[in-house]
């Protein structure tokens, strides 16, 4: 029996990873450790919460005494580390929380794993989930490979880059069996509506202005979240210790095209005539500071070594996503009550008025 710690399992990607592991591996014990910040929500895991191979623990990766106790009690064989502050705009507003959780919290987890395993690394694995943003920004040409030098621009990506460096350093220095993956933009059910796609869907439903930064020409490479969870499963089980794997959707889109497509699909599913009228809600607003121009991933390594490729087409993934948000307005209401309104006003009020 394997005992696996998944951190950040109540968040967007983490909840898909927890669901996948709980269902695919009834013989494993899956412990989900999450602080339940504004971004973490146990509603994301209702369908697996009573599974016999699953346990939720509320806790903070910044609390080393708590981590040490948890590791000694549970004696994990593997760690899949997703807990993080994840939103670029929030990192511009308040970088400190990103340094604490993403950098210091990751080092705490590395120390806890090192303490428990104590040099006996047979069958052990520390898997760190990271982002393509550590590579910086591309111009109109080229792709990020695993060899692209790190060049982060936002406090978020700088904190993720620092955490990647610590993970590699623990591999090189102490022999900890680490593996890292750097993924492009995810989308799908349960994504907190501070990110572009769910924020746009929510505003279309509510007939509110849709804020598009700058001219909407920045490019992101979008991947359906369940395809990412599948890649994580594969890398956790078959990836080589000490290696890095880039994960992407082979699906570059300009932000304005994403938003317009969402207007068309959402209008169609809502029966708004003619489909696409919600494009009237689009507002071009002041750009994000240090806004990275383009991200795009070269996925050849994971394809050639582990046989992974994204399965969900852009059209299918977006339709599934919009349908999910339309069918789960209770979830949307629950996560956007209270503090979300203060956040939204702070981030968007001035931008949408000017
Ligand atoms: P998210 O913000 O939806 O979830 C983060 C989770 O971590 C939440 O459940 C939150 O409660 C928890 N958390 C935060 N601070 C914590 C702490 N101190 N202790 C314990 N738990 C804490 O994030 P996400 O979008 O699901 O991203 C998950 C991971 O994947 C992150 O490491 C992120 O950098 C990485 N990533 C995200 C994307 C993306 O497009 N969303 C792409 C590539 C990589
Ligand atoms: O590339 C992987 C990264 O993708 C992850 O590491 C991050 O955790 C995740 O948040 C995401 O970062 P982005 O900054 O690319 O995602 P976001 O959804 O915030 O923005 C996507 C693009 O849309 C970006 O170019 C900014 C733009 N945008 C965003 C928002 C929230 C807008 O135009 N308007 C908006 O209101």
């Amino acid at each position: 029996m394997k005992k696996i710690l998944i951190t950040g399992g109540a968040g967007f990607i983490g909840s898909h990873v927890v669901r996948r592991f709980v269902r695919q591996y009834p013989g494993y014990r899956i412990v989900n450790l999450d602080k339940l910040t504004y971004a973490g929500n146990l509603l994301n895991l209702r369908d697996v919460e009573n599974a016999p191979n699953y346990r939720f623990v509320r806790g903070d990766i910044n609390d080393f005494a708590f981590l040490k106790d948890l590791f000694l009690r549970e004696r994990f064989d593997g760690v899949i580390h997703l807990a993080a502050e994840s939103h670029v705009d929030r990192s511009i507003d308040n970088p400190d929380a990103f340094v604490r959780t993403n950098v210091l919290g990751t080092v705490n987890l590395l120390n806890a794993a090192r303490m428990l395993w104590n040099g006996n690394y047979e069958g052990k694995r520390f898997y760190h989930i990271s982002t393509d943003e550590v590579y910086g920004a591309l111009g109109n040409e080229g792709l990020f490979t695993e060899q692209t030098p790190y060049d982060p621009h936002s406090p978020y990506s700088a904190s993720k880059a620092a955490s990647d460096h610590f993970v590699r350093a623990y591999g090189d220095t102490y022999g900890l069996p680490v593996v890292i993956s750097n993924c492009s933009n995810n989308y799908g059910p349960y994504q907190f509506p501070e990110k572009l796609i769910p924020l746009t869907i929510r505003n279309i439903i509510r007939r509110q202005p849709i804020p598009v930064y700058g001219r909407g020409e920045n490019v992101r490479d979008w991947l359906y979240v369940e395809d990412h969870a599948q890649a994580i499963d594969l890398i956790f089980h078959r990836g080589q210790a000490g290696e890095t794997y880039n994960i992407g959707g082979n699906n570059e889109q300009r932000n304005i095209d994403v938003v317009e497509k969402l207007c068309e699909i959402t209008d169609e599913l809502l029966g708004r005539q003619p489909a696409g009228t919600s494009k009237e809600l689009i507002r071009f607003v002041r750009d994000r500071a240090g806004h990275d121009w383009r991200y795009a991933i070269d996925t050849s390594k994971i394809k050639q070594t582990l046989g992974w490729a994204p399965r969900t087409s852009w059209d299918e993934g977006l339709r599934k996503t919009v349908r999910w948000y339309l069918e789960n307005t209770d979830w949307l209401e629950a996560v956007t009550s209270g503090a979300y309104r203060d956040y939204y006003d702070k981030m968007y009020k001035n931008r949408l008025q000017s």
Side-chain angles (χ1 to χ4, degrees):
M1 184 197 191
K2 266 193 193 294
K3 293 183 185 172
I4 298 176
L5 174 68
I6 299 181
T7 70
F12 165 49
I13 302 171
S15 63
H16 289 274
V17 174
V18 166
R19 180 174 297 102
R20 182 180 176 94
F21 273 71
V22 167
R23 288 190 179 151
Q24 299 269 120
Y25 304 107
Y28 289 7
R29 177 173 166 83
I30 309 296
V31 176
N32 170 14
L33 163 62
D34 199 295
K35 184 181 175 183
L36 300 182
T37 67
Y38 77 93
N41 197 325
L42 292 179
L43 289 174
N44 300 1
L45 288 164
R46 284 193 104 148
D47 48 340
V48 293
E49 66 189 4
N50 295 319
N53 61 340
Y54 171 68
R55 178 179 167 219
F56 173 71
V57 177
R58 186 169 191 179
D60 188 337
I61 59 168
N62 293 308
D63 180 349
F64 183 70
F66 157 78
L67 281 184
K68 188 175 168 193
D69 183 57
L70 181 72
F71 272 68
L72 287 174
R73 257 187 300 122
E74 293 281 352
R75 310 203 73 79
F76 299 115
D77 302 300
V79 176
I80 305 179
H81 174 37
L82 296 109
E85 289 293 336
S86 68
H87 191 40
V88 174
D89 292 322
R90 286 187 192 255
S91 81
I92 294 167
D93 188 46
N94 176 17
D96 299 24
F98 289 72
V99 178
R100 270 195 302 276
T101 289
N102 299 2
V103 186
L104 302 177
T106 300
V107 173
N108 278 334
L109 275 172
L110 289 163
N111 285 336
R114 193 176 156 228
M115 176 238 14
L116 175 67
W117 297 336
N118 193 24
N120 303 315
Y121 296 138
E122 187 63 35
K124 305 291 187 279
R125 169 139 298 191
F126 188 103
Y127 180 8
H128 177 61
I129 308 298
S130 193
T131 171
D132 61 356
E133 299 199 12
V134 298
Y135 298 124
L138 293 163
N140 292 332
E141 301 291 320
L143 299 171
F144 294 135
T145 73
E146 288 80 1
Q147 280 71 49
T148 303
Y150 276 31
D151 183 23
H153 297 140
S154 72
Y156 163 69
S157 52
S159 70
K160 291 297 289 188
S163 66
D164 291 9
H165 290 319
F166 273 104
V167 172
R168 283 198 189 95
Y170 272 59
D172 293 343
T173 309
Y174 308 115
L176 207 72
V178 298
V179 64
I180 300 179
S181 58
N182 297 83
C183 188
S184 65
N185 289 60
N186 284 218
Y187 69 101
Y190 300 108
Q191 188 168 30
F192 193 77
E194 62 191 353
K195 310 275 163 65
L196 178 68
I197 288 182
L199 185 140
T200 300
I201 298 170
R202 179 172 185 270
N203 287 13
I204 296 171
I205 296 172
R206 296 163 64 94
R207 296 184 199 269
Q208 280 182 355
I210 303 165
V212 174
Y213 298 165
R215 293 156 58 91
E217 289 173 343
N218 300 62
V219 172
R220 299 291 182 264
D221 173 1
W222 293 96
L223 176 68
Y224 191 64
V225 63
E226 287 178 8
D227 289 345
H228 188 189
Q230 194 224 347
I232 289 173
D233 184 345
L234 208 56
I235 292 169
F236 181 72
H237 288 101
R238 293 191 19 226
Q240 289 290 313
E243 290 292 317
T244 294
Y245 298 87
N246 280 355
I247 309 171
N250 303 329
N251 176 35
E252 290 182 49
Q253 304 287 340
R254 296 187 317 163
N255 293 337
I256 187 63
D257 298 329
V258 175
V259 169
E260 291 193 347
K261 194 169 167 71
L262 284 170
C263 290
E264 280 158 21
I265 295 174
T266 312
D267 284 352
E268 183 196 314
L269 294 178
L270 282 171
R272 280 187 195 160
Q273 298 285 348
T277 43
S278 293
K279 289 178 195 168
E280 291 166 3
L281 299 169
I282 294 172
R283 302 283 182 279
F284 293 98
V285 302
R286 181 166 41 83
D287 210 350
R288 175 184 277 174
H291 195 175
D292 286 337
W293 176 246
R294 173 174 163 261
Y295 305 143
I297 290 274
D298 178 346
T299 54
S300 1
K301 178 173 175 181
I302 186 169
K303 185 166 187 209
Q304 280 157 20
T305 57
L306 299 177
W308 179 89
R311 291 180 178 171
T312 312
S313 75
W314 178 226
D315 195 60
E316 180 196 350
L318 269 194
R319 279 176 183 277
K320 279 209 253 196
T321 304
V322 173
R323 207 171 287 121
W324 186 87
Y325 280 93
L326 294 179
E327 287 167 0
N328 289 277
T329 44
D330 289 355
W331 180 90
L332 205 47
E333 281 306 310
V335 303
T336 54
S337 58
Y340 179 84
R341 274 185 219 124
D342 300 336
Y343 162 80
Y344 196 87
D345 283 352
K346 190 171 179 193
M347 286 291 167
Y348 292 103
K349 212 169 175 182
N350 293 334
R351 277 173 159 168
L352 284 164
Q353 276 166 359
S354 57

